[in-house]
Amino acid sequence: MNAVTLNGLSKTYSNGKKAVDSVNICLSAGEVFGFLGPNGAGKTTTVKLLNGMLTPTEGSCTVFDINPAANPQKAHALSGVVTEHAQMYDAMTGMENLVFYGSLYGINPSESEERGKALLRELELTYAENQKLASYSTGMRQRLSLARALIHQPRILFLDEPTSGLDPESAQNVHRMIHRLASEHGITVFLCTHQLRYAQEICTRYGLMEEGRLLAEGTLDTLRLQICSGMTLKVKASRIPETLLCKNTAPGAFELQIQSEEEIPAIVRKIVEQGGDVYHISAELPSLEDIYFHLTGKEQTT
Amino acid sequence: MNHQITAIIKKDIRSITSNKRMFITLLIVPLVLTIFVPSVFILVFHFMPENNTELLELLELLPLSIQDGSTQRSIIKLILNYIMPIFFLLIPIMAASVMAAASFVGEKEKRTLETLLYCPLSLKQIFRSKVMASFFLSMFVSAVSFAAMLVVTEAEAYMTTNSFVLPDLKWLLIMLLVSPAISLIAITLIVRVSARAQSVEDAEQSAVFLILPILLLIVGQFTGVFLISSWILLAIGVLCGLLAALLLKKCMDNFKYETLLK
């Protein structure tokens, strides 16, 4: 059974804006899927469609074989959602909020409190469990939202920019937790973000969105293959033989494209034999950021 | 009623009672209406010269059932059983509007509605629990106001006439039929505007239209066009009850995720 299936999913709003355009994605249980793209790419709309908040204009989607548009209640029982717009109650304390949402999932107060305490401990919020939410900072609210989304032990987590407003250390903790939830508890994570570097650290698969369209989808390796088959070799040397086709990026710094690391010894040998001194050499695979900009650049020119 | 609905009702009522500004708004109007207004009427008439012929002529025009031995008792009876019932109808409208606006539009304004919608409850359950929370609070405020009014009026009646003046059948109709029905109408009106209202204040203003018929009743009675009777109240109650049921049904049908999240 697929955790998430998007089948030609499209959504056009009443003002005529096509927010999601024929998107096809299949996710297995336990995957950490990075749904990436700039603001307005259609990420949040997709999350809303997957939770039955919006009805698709065309196509369909399922969450563990449940159609969220037809059975939103069943889909909600399996999923935890964190979005920027889904806030909690300021007049209640962190723990009261967790117990309240727990009760909506049919969990008794003592059990909710127990689970809440464990989650707050993990998210380093224990000190604030009895503080009113009104006194929470953005980062604390965001972490409490994550605890709220996990209180009923969901099978899938939809996270829409979960680290926005977090300081680097808190963001790192949240990412570590997401990674652990997937690897230890088998929770599927659908992570919407525009922070490509963080996504590369924790996701197992990626979907790159732009203006409602899915530009590319797959693992980092398959995405790399889509833009180029090799890697970039960065060299710092006193001089480079003219026979090596390379780009001069700065005085004494050069870049050249190679297919594999096997080619590196021959290149170094050539430089040295021509009397050049080598100060630094490194081979770099394209990052998610490189892939994203390459794909969006290609789209813009076509 | 399942646990989820109870949890939302408790949370909604608690959010109103813990919000001082809103709670004071909710208490001031009932207190003015049920304690201050009858007291002013009773005391003004009490300190009036007893041989005021114009007043006696006016009282003689009233039905025999109101005329009750002494002028003072007749006046208190008139205030308690004819004037106050109409003023009292403002209380459930106001309480239900404040509560429904906070419960529906307030959640939207504070971005907590979306979180609630992601929970495994049907829209019908969310709608029902919010209507019930507003309804219960409105009925509670009405009951407390009635009790406060009764204590104050009876104390004043005893002090000025050495006897009690009891409320009649009209109060039973108001408490059990008219007040619940107009509370529900006020709630549905707020829910209807909640999709486009940008703030709690916007939504509350829509309930102003409900006060107009009440004002007509007050003016009609003071100008002598009619005198409120149990039959009139029964008819108003039944009509409002039917209207409330119809509006609730229509409102529920318009309660959709997409409209709520706009």
Side-chain angles (χ1 to χ4, degrees):
Chain A
M1 189 200 299
N2 283 326
V4 170
T5 311
L6 273 66
N7 204 348
L9 189 72
S10 298
K11 176 68 190 175
T12 308
Y13 285 112
S14 52
N15 61 8
K17 194 198 169 202
K18 198 158 196 175
V20 177
D21 190 359
S22 307
V23 174
N24 293 296
I25 295 171
C26 253
L27 297 185
S28 306
E31 283 195 81
V32 182
F33 184 72
F35 202 47
L36 318 169
N39 294 333
K43 307 187 300 287
T44 304
T45 303
T46 308
V47 169
K48 284 184 176 170
L49 286 162
L50 282 165
N51 281 282
M53 296 290 132
L54 298 173
T55 317
T57 322
E58 279 170 59
S60 63
C61 56
T62 59
V63 176
F64 287 103
D65 282 353
I66 296 165
N67 178 355
N71 282 310
Q73 261 175 284
K74 281 188 182 171
H76 296 169
L78 298 177
S79 41
V81 186
V82 175
T83 78
E84 209 183 327
H85 296 290
Q87 296 291 324
M88 288 185 274
Y89 301 99
D90 277 359
M92 288 157 78
T93 66
M95 183 54 82
E96 284 169 348
N97 266 294
L98 294 182
V99 171
F100 168 69
Y101 287 104
S103 68
L104 299 186
Y105 284 92
I107 308 163
N108 68 51
S110 57
E111 174 76 19
S112 291
E113 202 163 320
E114 208 174 296
R115 289 188 194 183
K117 276 185 192 294
L119 286 164
L120 293 179
R121 198 169 36 245
E122 205 156 351
L123 289 158
E124 293 169 8
L125 270 180
T126 305
Y127 69 96
E129 71 171 71
N130 294 319
Q131 278 177 26
K132 290 254 163 80
L133 207 62
S135 67
Y136 274 41
S137 67
T138 315
M140 288 162 80
R141 280 168 189 269
Q142 200 74 343
R143 282 182 283 158
L144 191 71
S145 287
L146 193 59
R148 189 256 308 148
L150 289 166
I151 195 84
H152 60 295
Q153 296 170 339
R155 289 175 73 184
I156 181 162
L157 260 184
F158 292 99
L159 306 173
D160 192 2
E161 303 290 357
T163 50
S164 71
L166 294 191
D167 56 79
E169 202 186 327
S170 304
Q172 193 67 37
N173 285 346
V174 168
H175 286 129
R176 222 174 284 145
M177 188 173 178
I178 295 169
H179 185 70
R180 205 178 45 72
L181 285 167
S183 58
E184 288 175 21
H185 302 277
I187 295 179
T188 311
V189 180
F190 194 95
L191 171 72
C192 299
T193 185
H194 56 253
Q195 293 177 327
L196 305 178
R197 279 181 206 172
Y198 284 135
Q200 190 173 338
E201 283 174 29
I202 57 168
C203 297
T204 51
R205 267 174 77 197
Y206 307 87
L208 303 175
M209 291 284 285
E210 193 189 42
E211 291 173 4
R213 282 170 305 131
L214 185 68
L215 297 178
E217 186 257 323
T219 61
L220 195 55
D221 288 339
T222 53
L223 290 175
R224 277 173 178 150
L225 281 175
Q226 283 186 34
I227 62 159
C228 70
S229 54
M231 55 184 76
T232 306
L233 189 71
K234 292 187 173 176
V235 183
K236 272 190 181 171
S238 55
R239 53 181 291 214
I240 288 263
E242 279 175 16
T243 48
L244 288 174
L245 292 171
C246 61
K247 196 163 74 180
N248 194 344
T249 53
F254 306 89
E255 267 184 26
L256 60 159
Q257 293 300 317
I258 55 170
Q259 287 308 306
S260 74
E261 288 178 337
E262 309 294 314
E263 297 171 37
I264 296 174
I267 292 169
V268 174
R269 218 169 8 249
K270 250 187 196 171
I271 298 171
V272 175
E273 278 169 5
Q274 297 282 321
D277 296 323
V278 179
Y279 303 107
H280 168 94
I281 192 151
S282 61
E284 282 178 15
L285 288 166
S287 68
L288 201 55
E289 236 170 17
D290 298 330
I291 295 167
Y292 179 75
F293 287 121
H294 184 92
L295 286 169
T296 49
K298 194 160 74 183
E299 282 295 312
Q300 280 155 6
T301 51
T302 50
Chain B
M1 209 190 314
N2 67 25
H3 293 306
Q4 294 151 309
I5 292 184
T6 317
I8 297 181
I9 293 174
K10 275 189 194 162
K11 188 270 301 165
D12 274 5
I13 292 178
R14 205 184 132 192
S15 72
I16 286 278
T17 50
S18 63
N19 182 334
K20 276 185 194 160
R21 187 185 66 87
M22 206 171 276
F23 200 53
I24 287 169
T25 316
L26 208 58
L27 285 179
I28 283 178
V29 179
L31 286 178
V32 168
L33 281 175
T34 57
I35 297 175
F36 184 71
V37 173
S39 301
V40 167
F41 279 129
I42 292 171
L43 295 175
V44 163
F45 284 116
H46 178 67
F47 290 111
M48 233 177 215
E50 272 192 28
N51 52 359
N52 186 331
T53 49
E54 281 173 4
L55 178 68
L56 291 173
E57 276 169 23
L58 267 175
L59 282 175
E60 275 168 19
L61 289 172
L62 292 170
L64 283 174
S65 59
I66 305 176
Q67 296 173 26
D68 190 7
S70 74
T71 313
Q72 197 67 40
R73 271 186 66 83
S74 301
I75 287 169
I76 294 175
K77 205 171 174 185
L78 178 74
I79 294 165
L80 179 65
N81 292 327
Y82 288 86
I83 296 173
M84 285 313 293
I86 305 179
F87 275 109
F88 191 84
L89 292 180
L90 295 170
I91 295 169
I93 295 177
M94 192 272 311
S97 312
V98 170
M99 181 67 190
S103 179
F104 286 91
V105 192
E107 291 242 21
K108 203 173 144 188
E109 203 178 26
K110 289 174 188 154
R111 293 173 161 189
T112 49
L113 185 63
E114 191 170 325
T115 321
L116 206 55
L117 298 179
Y118 285 125
C119 293
L121 286 108
S122 67
L123 277 177
K124 211 173 203 167
Q125 282 175 305
I126 296 176
F127 178 81
R128 207 181 295 153
S129 51
K130 294 207 154 281
V131 168
M132 278 160 100
S134 307
F135 181 72
F136 288 156
L137 193 86
S138 163
M139 289 299 97
F140 173 76
V141 172
S142 301
V144 169
S145 307
F146 177 69
M149 181 198 70
L150 211 56
V151 169
V152 171
T153 322
E154 293 305 322
E156 286 165 350
Y158 193 79
M159 281 190 287
T160 53
T161 67
N162 281 326
S163 61
F164 294 110
V165 177
L166 295 177
D168 67 7
L169 178 71
K170 285 195 278 295
W171 280 107
L172 199 67
L173 287 168
I174 289 203
M175 296 308 289
L176 298 181
L177 185 66
V178 187
S179 278
I182 58 172
S183 286
L184 286 175
I185 294 177
I187 295 165
T188 48
L189 264 182
I190 299 284
V191 178
R192 275 174 74 87
V193 299
S194 65
R196 27 174 223 278
Q198 291 306 310
S199 68
V200 172
E201 288 75 17
D202 271 1
E204 281 170 355
Q205 279 161 14
S206 67
V208 168
F209 296 106
L210 265 182
I211 291 172
L212 289 176
I214 310 285
L215 288 178
L216 286 178
L217 280 178
I218 294 171
V219 171
Q221 189 160 252
F222 272 104
T223 52
V225 176
F226 62 84
L227 196 64
I228 202 88
S229 70
S230 299
W231 288 110
I232 293 179
L233 278 176
L234 184 68
I236 293 175
V238 170
L239 272 176
C240 288
L242 290 172
L243 187 65
L246 189 79
L247 286 173
L248 270 175
K249 171 86 183 62
K250 263 192 100 176
C251 251
M252 180 57 235
D253 295 342
N254 291 332
F255 207 66
K256 295 193 174 79
Y257 287 117
E258 222 157 327
T259 350
L260 288 169
L261 290 180
K262 259 183 192 171

